[in-house]
Amino acid sequence: NTRTSHVTGTRPLARKWAEKEGRLSGVDPGWLLFEGDGAEAAPVHVGPSPVTVDVPIVSWISAGELGSQDGVVNLSDYPTIPAADLEQGEWIALRVDGPSMNKISPPDSIIFVNLRDKRLVTNGCYVIADESGQATYKRYRPNDTPPFQPASYLDIPPPELEGAITIIGRVKRSLIDM
């Protein structure tokens, strides 16, 4: 619908949309913005094509109470989901179970976790585990106690974590089916 509205002139074309569309179709965004009314499109390499990787969907992660799962032995044993433009890292995907992160990742959404990114960033989202080995998905808020908090439309208390916390990885993308 957006593309049709742009072609028919019923909706103005935004620069950001032209850049994205140009990258996907291999057409110069300037042509889309200024010359697209009859002039032939000159294919232009706008930037690197997005790199798609197959990310293993390992399991589910609790976005509520702490949850426990069997350990991962071999990532090649799991089904995969394609993902484009992920930064360098070691990636796993997890299906979200529970409502405590529903502002960011509603239940049944899939999160992409970079196991190599363990830097704590204010408001960053992480998969963490406590000393008991139970894991959860939470947002990092260093001035709150505990610092790993829900991001929910519901009134959900933070998890009761036991002992030292281990950062499994940073969540960099959340995918939902509509």
Side-chain angles (χ1 to χ4, degrees):
N1 287 341
T2 301
R3 182 176 284 144
T4 300
S5 297
H6 292 151
V7 170
T8 61
T10 58
R11 182 176 183 186
L13 182 65
R15 180 187 58 83
K16 198 171 197 176
W17 187 90
E19 288 172 354
K20 184 177 181 180
E21 182 65 22
R23 185 174 59 251
L24 292 172
S25 62
V27 173
D28 181 351
W31 179 85
L32 291 170
L33 283 168
F34 304 112
E35 300 174 34
D37 56 355
E40 184 160 333
V44 174
H45 184 65
V46 178
S49 298
V51 175
T52 301
V53 294
D54 289 325
V55 177
I57 303 177
V58 174
S59 184
W60 58 269
I61 186 66
S62 173
E65 294 298 318
L66 292 169
S68 173
Q69 289 288 312
D70 293 334
V72 173
V73 178
N74 185 352
L75 291 176
S76 66
D77 292 339
Y78 294 92
T80 60
I81 184 170
D85 284 342
L86 292 175
E87 64 192 39
Q88 288 291 328
E90 183 179 356
W91 293 92
I92 62 169
L94 301 166
R95 188 168 302 280
V96 175
D97 179 40
S100 78
M101 293 296 288
N102 65 14
K103 284 185 176 179
I104 301 165
S105 306
D108 270 345
S109 58
I110 295 174
I111 56 174
F112 292 85
V113 183
N114 187 347
L115 301 177
R116 291 189 189 153
D117 188 351
K118 299 179 189 231
R119 299 171 291 119
L120 290 176
V121 176
T122 300
N123 290 318
C125 295
Y126 298 87
V127 172
I128 60 171
D130 69 4
E131 281 184 358
S132 73
Q134 298 209 32
T136 189
Y137 162 43
K138 294 291 177 270
R139 180 171 55 176
Y140 179 64
R141 308 288 299 241
N143 297 325
D144 291 349
T145 303
F148 292 97
Q149 294 284 323
S152 179
Y153 294 109
L154 305 173
D155 187 21
I156 296 178
E160 294 183 23
L161 303 167
E162 295 180 25
I165 304 304
T166 301
I167 308 297
I168 305 300
R170 185 168 174 198
V171 177
K172 298 295 284 209
R173 184 172 297 165
S174 185
L175 176 69
I176 60 171
D177 283 330
M178 303 290 285

